[in-house]
Amino acid sequence: MSTCWMAYWTTSLQTTTVASRNGRFLSTDSSNKVDEPFKVEEAETVNVPPPPTEKLLVLGGNGFVGSHVCKEALDRGLSVASLSRSGRSTIQESWANSISWHQGNLLSADSLKEALSGVTSIISCVGGFGSNSYMYKINGTANINAIRAAAEKGVKRFVYISAADFGVVNYLLQGYYEGKRAAETELLTKFPYGGVILRPGFIYGTRRVGSMKVPLGVIGSPMEMVLQHVKPLTQVPLVGPLLTPPVNVTAVAKVAVRAATDPVFPPGIVDVYGLLRYSQQKKSI
């Protein structure tokens, strides 16, 4: 009797069990009746505008490093503008016509207003030598002004091309290094998640001096090949940093543009060995 009752109960349970599959309710009832599916309302389509074009502003874009940065950014398909005291570059190459050139002085608060329009990232190549007071202003104050203006404007990422420590040289160029480090501190404060500091040593490549081209790679390239393998010696007090390997200007430009446009590029300080490592990686925007 109990066996018959269990069989009846099992059959009854099967007929009342409902499974949802592909939006339909299925029944195991012997009538094989299939319930109608739920009516699903189609979600409203929202027209989302495409992401804005990346626009890079290069501070000091007509200089040795800055011009290479501009060219690298153009090669990656970016919209590129430059701001410098002299304005348009004297470079007579076709790519220079694709740059939006601005003239201004970063020591003046209003110089950046027009150039910052639509800018999503900045690379600063601004720096120079002279008296200690002048070096502090051009390496420190000018860049600090740019960093603050960029933060207020809502720029996403800011890359500052600084300089590696050179031991005893730091004392001889006190204003230069104090200015660089002051700008670095400001950048890490204002851009804790989008600020990148590159610290190359001697940057080599073909420099333009008037109408002449000076091939510094003749010296820099062999030095880089040798010194990049003697990293432990750079820890020797005072003189060790003098053995910091040189870096090709194209490598600096490549890493700078990547750091300014790649949202996953880690913020913080990249030393010369990091520069060499990143420059050897393939990364497309």
Side-chain angles (χ1 to χ4, degrees):
M1 181 70 178
S2 60
T3 302
C4 293
W5 182 85
M6 285 296 294
Y8 171 79
W9 181 83
T10 302
T11 304
S12 177
L13 179 62
Q14 290 175 343
T15 59
T16 57
T17 299
V18 179
S20 174
R21 184 178 302 166
N22 297 328
R24 295 177 180 271
F25 285 93
L26 306 179
S27 174
T28 56
D29 194 356
S30 58
S31 65
N32 292 325
K33 179 182 178 182
V34 179
D35 294 335
E36 291 296 322
F38 278 126
K39 183 179 180 181
V40 179
E41 296 289 342
E42 184 176 353
E44 181 183 356
T45 302
V46 179
N47 292 323
V48 180
T53 302
E54 294 279 355
K55 182 178 180 181
L56 173 68
L57 174 63
V58 183
L59 303 178
N62 59 359
F64 172 54
V65 177
S67 60
H68 283 80
V69 170
C70 287
K71 187 175 185 301
E72 173 69 20
L74 286 175
D75 289 344
R76 294 198 181 200
L78 300 175
S79 173
V80 185
S82 167
L83 176 73
S84 61
R85 287 179 294 178
S86 56
R88 183 178 175 84
S89 173
T90 58
I91 296 175
Q92 301 298 318
E93 296 181 17
S94 58
W95 63 263
N97 296 324
S98 300
I99 305 293
S100 178
W101 301 100
H102 299 271
Q103 185 174 10
N105 188 342
L106 292 180
L107 295 175
S108 172
D110 296 330
S111 283
L112 270 170
K113 286 185 177 180
E114 180 182 352
L116 277 175
S117 178
V119 169
T120 54
S121 55
I122 293 177
I123 297 175
S124 177
C125 309
V126 174
F129 297 95
S131 66
N132 276 325
S133 61
Y134 174 80
M135 288 191 292
Y136 186 90
K137 283 198 298 184
I138 197 67
N139 294 285
T141 307
N143 284 296
I144 290 172
N145 289 345
I147 292 165
R148 291 174 178 174
E152 291 176 2
K153 194 70 174 179
V155 173
K156 297 177 183 178
R157 300 183 69 81
F158 196 116
V159 178
Y160 176 44
I161 299 180
S162 188
D165 287 320
F166 274 99
V168 67
V169 177
N170 289 31
Y171 298 98
L172 300 176
L173 299 173
Q174 187 174 355
Y176 178 86
Y177 280 96
E178 286 182 354
K180 291 284 190 185
R181 298 303 174 249
E184 290 181 1
T185 300
E186 187 70 19
L187 179 59
L188 295 177
T189 301
K190 290 291 193 294
F191 288 86
Y193 304 110
V196 179
I197 298 163
L198 305 185
R199 284 185 178 177
F202 170 63
I203 302 176
Y204 69 88
T206 302
R207 285 182 179 265
R208 297 175 182 271
V209 181
S211 59
M212 293 180 56
K213 292 184 178 181
V214 183
L216 298 179
V218 173
I219 300 174
S221 183
M223 289 178 63
E224 177 186 348
M225 292 179 64
V226 173
L227 294 180
Q228 66 178 311
H229 300 296
V230 296
K231 184 177 180 180
L233 295 180
T234 62
Q235 305 303 315
V236 177
L238 296 180
V239 296
L242 296 176
L243 299 176
T244 299
V247 184
N248 193 307
V249 66
T250 57
V252 176
K254 180 178 180 180
V255 178
V257 173
R258 177 182 171 187
T261 56
D262 186 350
V264 301
F265 194 100
I269 298 172
V270 180
D271 65 10
V272 64
Y273 299 99
L275 272 166
L276 294 172
R277 184 174 66 253
Y278 279 120
S279 68
Q280 294 166 2
Q281 297 176 353
K282 293 183 178 181
K283 176 69 178 180
S284 58
I285 293 180

